Amino acid sequence: MEGAACGLVIISKGWRTRGISEPDNETVLQGPREGFDEAAMLNLAQLRRKLLTPDLCIEMLRIGRRTDTLVFVCYLHSLASPHLVKQVKERLSEIDIDGILDTNYLNELIRDRKYSVFKTCGTTERPDVVASKLLEGRVAIMVDGTPVVLTVPYLFSENFQSDEDYYLNFWVSSVGRFLRYLCFFITVSVPAFYLALLTYHK
């Protein structure tokens, strides 16, 4: 650049990718028809297109003694808790492993309770879902080589949410979510209640 004392070296090489397509396990009737790819840079570009704000922070780490895999920590600076961001980065920096081939490697190593049956990290392959989680103050973790993105923290109530809830009328979404809670309660309690009545309290 004219008058500048230094220059930029930009990596412009390309490679064949699978292309942007809708994830098979997260299809929706309404909403975007795009999903993440195995190329992390393409995934970051999709996320940046959703969040055109300088508030979006993307920090790069390298994990794996042999694979030296690129891992990206994404969050919105003004919305994410500094304590949460610091804790995520500390847990990632403490990982000492030969290689990272998928986000589940990180999921197992950074979770709060190793033997808990409940999920503590959410997973998704949709850029709009990751963008909505970041707007809620969450932190996203991307790994080069896999389309699955981790979002932390993960709440138990998210098991009853659908990706399509964001694109429907709030009445329809609320009724659908209430029915999911009701069906979960019926599934867990009614069979046990029926067995108790039939077996012990004739």
Side-chain angles (χ1 to χ4, degrees):
M1 293 179 62
E2 184 72 24
C6 60
L8 296 177
V9 178
I10 301 173
I11 300 174
S12 59
K13 62 183 179 181
W15 55 88
R16 185 180 296 276
T17 60
R18 180 166 51 90
I20 298 174
S21 59
E22 187 174 13
D24 294 332
N25 59 341
E26 293 183 79
T27 56
V28 294
L29 296 177
Q30 296 185 29
R33 301 287 193 274
E34 58 185 2
F36 285 128
D37 190 74
E38 280 74 18
M41 292 302 174
L42 181 61
N43 297 343
L44 291 173
Q46 290 188 71
L47 183 61
R48 170 63 70 183
R49 194 178 63 160
K50 296 283 184 188
L51 299 170
L52 293 173
T53 170
D55 201 27
L56 176 62
C57 297
I58 301 173
E59 300 185 22
M60 185 184 75
L61 303 170
R62 288 186 178 272
I63 300 178
R65 291 190 298 267
R66 300 184 186 277
T67 59
D68 202 26
T69 306
L70 289 173
V71 177
F72 299 91
V73 179
C74 311
Y75 59 94
L76 291 176
H77 185 267
S78 62
L79 296 179
S81 166
H83 175 70
L84 173 64
V85 175
K86 180 182 177 183
Q87 193 174 31
V88 169
K89 290 193 290 187
E90 284 179 353
R91 291 188 186 189
L92 289 174
S93 62
E94 290 172 358
I95 294 176
D96 185 21
I97 193 173
D98 280 340
I100 298 290
L101 302 177
D102 187 72
T103 50
N104 190 57
Y105 286 68
L106 300 179
N107 189 2
E108 295 291 331
L109 295 170
I110 68 172
R111 60 186 308 174
D112 289 329
R113 285 171 171 70
K114 185 176 180 180
Y115 299 106
S116 174
V117 296
F118 298 102
K119 289 175 64 176
T120 56
C121 297
T123 56
T124 184
E125 295 182 36
R126 296 182 61 90
D128 56 328
V129 173
V130 174
S132 67
K133 299 297 183 190
L134 294 185
L135 290 170
E136 293 173 359
R138 314 286 179 89
V139 176
I141 303 171
M142 292 186 183
V143 176
D144 191 22
T146 176
V148 181
V149 176
L150 294 179
T151 57
V152 293
Y154 183 81
L155 306 177
F156 181 73
S157 60
E158 292 182 53
N159 291 303
F160 305 100
Q161 295 180 9
S162 170
D163 298 336
E164 211 165 16
D165 288 349
Y166 294 99
Y167 305 107
L168 296 174
N169 181 276
F170 77 98
W171 283 113
V172 177
S173 300
S174 299
V175 169
R177 199 168 294 182
F178 172 75
L179 289 175
R180 294 185 202 112
Y181 276 106
L182 181 63
C183 292
F184 173 77
F185 176 75
I186 291 174
T187 303
V188 170
S189 62
V190 170
F193 183 68
Y194 173 75
L195 278 175
L197 288 178
L198 192 68
T199 309
Y200 299 106
H201 301 286
K202 295 182 180 179

